[in-house]
Amino acid sequence: MVGIDHLDSPLTVQIDAYTLTEYVPAKPLESNLEIIFSNTEQNSVTPQPDPCGQLNCGSDLKFPFARADNAPVAVLITDAKELVAADASTATKRVVELTLDTASLGALDYDPGDTVGILPSNSPQTVVLILQRLNLTQQADKNCYASLALNCAKKSAKVPAHIPALTTPREILTYCVSLRSVLQKQFLSALANCTSDLKERSFLASLSSKQGSAHYQTLILERGLCLLDLLELCSSCQPTLALLVEHLPRLLPRPYSIANSPLEGSDQLRIIYSVRADKPGVTTSMLETMVEQHQEQKKPVQLYIYPRLQNTFRYTDEELEGNQILIAVGTGLAPFLSFLAHKQLRRQLATGQTWLYAGAKTPQAMLKHEQLFSWQKSSIIQRLRLCYSRSSMNDQPKYVQQLLEQDAEQMVELLQQPTTVLYVCADGAQISKSINESLRCCLQQALNLNEAEATQQLKDFRAQGKYREDIWL
């Protein structure tokens, strides 16, 4: 997935350059929580590997878009294949396909295009560093609980639902709170109040101020400094665990598209993920560690997932009988691999055409490159249009938007047919918007519409279910 650029190291930041001389720091929230430890030795516990964290919060804690009566359960990683090797020269990410044994989910009913939620965990190394800064190394595995402070000023305050009633500092920091979240200004102001060094304190307070918005935009929103980065920059900052629990958001599950047909075999799912070389995400870092364990131990590794609610981005028997225009960039191809595999297995029902437009950095970075050509040869795909943004061939299109505009007349003619559905799977922040603009241009060109009319036509297609998107950030 596409993310924001990150610093190679937070220590490359010179805090003096981002500290204002005149500012009004954001007003920190009054502290409403406290963490209470047991003083008895009996309550020093050995960490339990599973279930843990949010799974210990009871039925009141809901998991985003989970199907009814489908709590997260442990499944097994039985295989891991590298589909694309990382290549720094072309900024190509490593891409891995996982095979999961899902027998523990029971008889899972799903269609191509459906997704699962994966429960992530923060890296043990990061958790250890924060425990050290909080002076909680010796208490890391002691029982504790979060409670409203005696002097709690906010009547509506409550303990976050994602914190177990009985827990440990390590469990909270590993499974419950997001250590990589975007830091809010009130939290920065609160961190400043926990900082003894005057220069570091001024830096955090300045960053929290209205006058420091430009620096906040640069360091937090664009360059992605997170809590651990600021703790490295500000060595005298020593917040409490209660402060982190109060200000850091919940560590949320990450959605992944199912990349195989349900007809390929029972009790088995495949998912595909990519890894940023500079600063991988929380979930992908966890998955990479699990893959290493699987390969070293030569046995399955446990992972918690749950099936997510179905939406219109699906490929059912109804869609099989019509036409599909599939548009994907990078790992956005993953759900379409399940579409195409399903079409191959339900070929007797597949009476329509399938056109696939897909983009990658290089031919080597295109997922299942040879399989795509095989599907084209066997007429599972009627039109296959691929492009490569790092191609040295200047006379060839480099982006799917260019391919669409080249095929505007024929593509729009197919799109206008009653049974045609157009699917887009791409980055919602940038690429999907650009694809939408290209589609608008195609409608203008093919149907002789003005911009407003073409824009309305796309809105109508969405309302009619002819234009479906799977957008990731």
Side-chain angles (χ1 to χ4, degrees):
M1 294 185 178
V2 176
I4 56 179
D5 292 331
H6 291 270
L7 296 169
D8 293 333
S9 168
L11 299 181
T12 61
V13 173
Q14 300 298 318
I15 63 175
D16 289 345
Y18 294 93
T19 304
L20 302 175
T21 55
E22 295 183 6
Y23 59 87
V24 178
K27 182 179 179 181
L29 294 174
E30 295 293 329
S31 180
N32 296 308
L33 297 180
E34 58 182 346
I35 301 294
I36 300 175
F37 287 89
S38 169
N39 293 319
T40 62
E41 286 299 318
Q42 296 93 305
N43 285 287
S44 183
V45 298
T46 301
Q48 297 299 313
D50 291 306
C52 50
Q54 298 181 44
L55 296 175
N56 291 333
C57 292
S59 59
D60 288 343
L61 182 65
K62 305 303 180 185
F63 290 88
F65 302 101
R67 297 185 191 180
D69 302 321
N70 276 272
V73 299
V75 299
L76 298 175
I77 298 174
T78 58
D79 192 24
K81 295 179 181 177
E82 184 179 75
L83 300 183
V84 179
D87 183 354
S89 66
T90 58
T92 297
K93 303 178 205 174
R94 165 176 152 92
V95 179
V96 179
E97 179 184 64
L98 297 182
T99 300
L100 309 178
D101 180 342
T102 59
S104 56
L105 283 171
L108 178 60
D109 181 23
Y110 69 94
D111 295 309
D114 285 349
T115 58
V116 294
I118 293 181
L119 269 61
S121 59
N122 293 306
S123 76
Q125 296 84 354
T126 298
V127 171
V128 165
L129 289 172
I130 293 181
L131 286 168
Q132 290 172 349
R133 178 59 63 88
L134 302 183
N135 283 334
L136 289 176
T137 301
Q138 299 303 315
Q139 295 174 289
D141 301 309
K142 280 196 170 184
N143 278 353
C144 64
Y145 61 91
S147 175
L148 293 181
L150 292 177
N151 60 346
C152 177
K154 189 176 179 181
K155 292 183 179 180
S156 60
K158 57 184 179 180
V159 175
H162 55 271
I163 305 298
L166 186 63
T167 183
T168 68
R170 192 188 306 277
E171 183 178 57
I172 290 173
L173 294 174
T174 303
Y175 301 104
C176 301
V177 295
S178 176
L179 303 179
R180 296 273 193 90
S181 62
V182 175
L183 303 176
Q184 302 301 311
K185 288 191 173 184
Q186 286 182 317
F187 186 30
L188 294 174
S189 184
L191 289 175
N193 289 341
C194 303
T195 304
S196 57
D197 180 85
L198 181 59
K199 181 187 293 186
E200 296 172 356
R201 184 186 182 98
S202 297
F203 164 66
L204 292 171
S206 172
L207 205 57
S208 79
S209 70
K210 182 177 180 180
Q211 295 78 8
S213 293
H215 292 161
Y216 178 86
Q217 175 74 26
T218 299
L219 294 181
I220 304 301
L221 300 183
E222 295 177 6
R223 301 178 71 177
L225 262 69
C226 62
L227 173 64
L228 186 62
D229 298 326
L230 289 185
L231 293 181
E232 288 186 49
L233 280 170
C234 304
S235 59
S236 71
C237 181
Q238 195 165 10
T240 64
L241 180 58
L243 187 72
L244 301 192
V245 169
E246 188 160 4
H247 284 275
L248 292 176
R250 176 184 176 185
L251 183 58
L252 290 170
R254 187 75 176 175
Y256 285 86
S257 296
I258 298 171
N260 62 284
S261 165
L263 302 179
E264 290 184 59
S266 60
D267 299 337
Q268 178 178 290
L269 292 181
R270 291 198 299 274
I271 62 169
I272 292 173
Y273 69 88
S274 62
V275 186
R276 290 189 53 157
D278 55 345
K279 200 168 187 180
V282 173
T283 308
T284 50
S285 295
M286 178 193 75
L287 293 175
E288 285 286 86
T289 300
M290 290 179 170
V291 167
E292 291 176 10
Q293 292 173 351
H294 169 68
Q295 293 173 339
E296 290 173 1
Q297 300 172 6
K298 307 296 184 184
K299 63 180 183 180
V301 177
Q302 192 167 270
L303 172 71
Y304 279 91
I305 73 169
Y306 62 90
R308 300 173 85 240
L309 290 171
Q310 296 178 313
N311 55 38
T312 61
F313 197 91
R314 299 160 63 199
Y315 187 60
T316 66
D317 285 351
E318 181 179 350
E319 283 80 29
L320 266 168
E321 296 174 359
N323 307 309
Q324 305 87 43
I325 300 172
L326 314 178
I327 305 171
V329 177
T331 52
L333 188 56
F336 298 145
L337 296 176
S338 70
F339 283 34
L340 296 165
H342 197 65
K343 181 178 180 180
Q344 185 175 29
L345 294 169
R346 298 283 281 171
R347 193 161 189 164
Q348 69 278 13
L349 293 181
T351 56
Q353 294 194 46
T354 299
W355 293 12
L356 174 63
Y357 295 85
K361 296 282 177 54
T362 64
Q364 294 74 27
M366 184 66 69
L367 303 187
K368 304 291 183 84
H369 196 261
E370 295 304 317
Q371 180 64 67
L372 296 179
F373 285 114
S374 176
W375 277 326
Q376 182 188 35
K377 187 176 181 180
S378 60
S379 297
I380 299 301
I381 300 174
Q382 279 66 42
R383 179 171 294 193
L384 179 61
R385 298 279 272 138
L386 307 178
C387 60
Y388 310 103
S389 61
R390 298 302 177 94
S391 172
S392 59
M393 300 177 65
N394 294 326
D395 60 333
Q396 297 296 318
K398 296 181 182 295
Y399 304 101
V400 292
Q401 296 91 320
Q402 294 171 310
L403 295 177
L404 292 169
E405 291 173 20
Q406 279 188 350
D407 291 357
E409 300 286 344
Q410 293 172 305
M411 189 271 294
V412 170
E413 181 181 355
L414 181 65
L415 181 57
Q416 286 185 298
Q417 294 185 22
T419 63
T420 299
V421 178
L422 183 146
Y423 297 86
V424 177
C425 187
D427 166 25
Q430 299 174 2
I431 300 174
S432 66
K433 293 180 181 179
S434 180
I435 290 172
N436 185 80
E437 285 301 298
S438 292
L439 291 170
R440 178 183 58 75
C441 291
C442 289
L443 289 174
Q444 287 184 247
Q445 176 184 332
L447 302 179
N448 196 27
L449 303 178
N450 60 37
E451 182 176 335
E453 291 170 335
T455 299
Q456 184 59 49
Q457 181 70 79
L458 287 177
K459 290 181 180 179
D460 292 343
F461 283 156
R462 282 191 173 93
Q464 297 162 10
K466 287 180 66 66
Y467 184 173
R468 307 178 188 181
E469 296 172 288
D470 184 7
I471 303 303
W472 35 265
L473 300 175

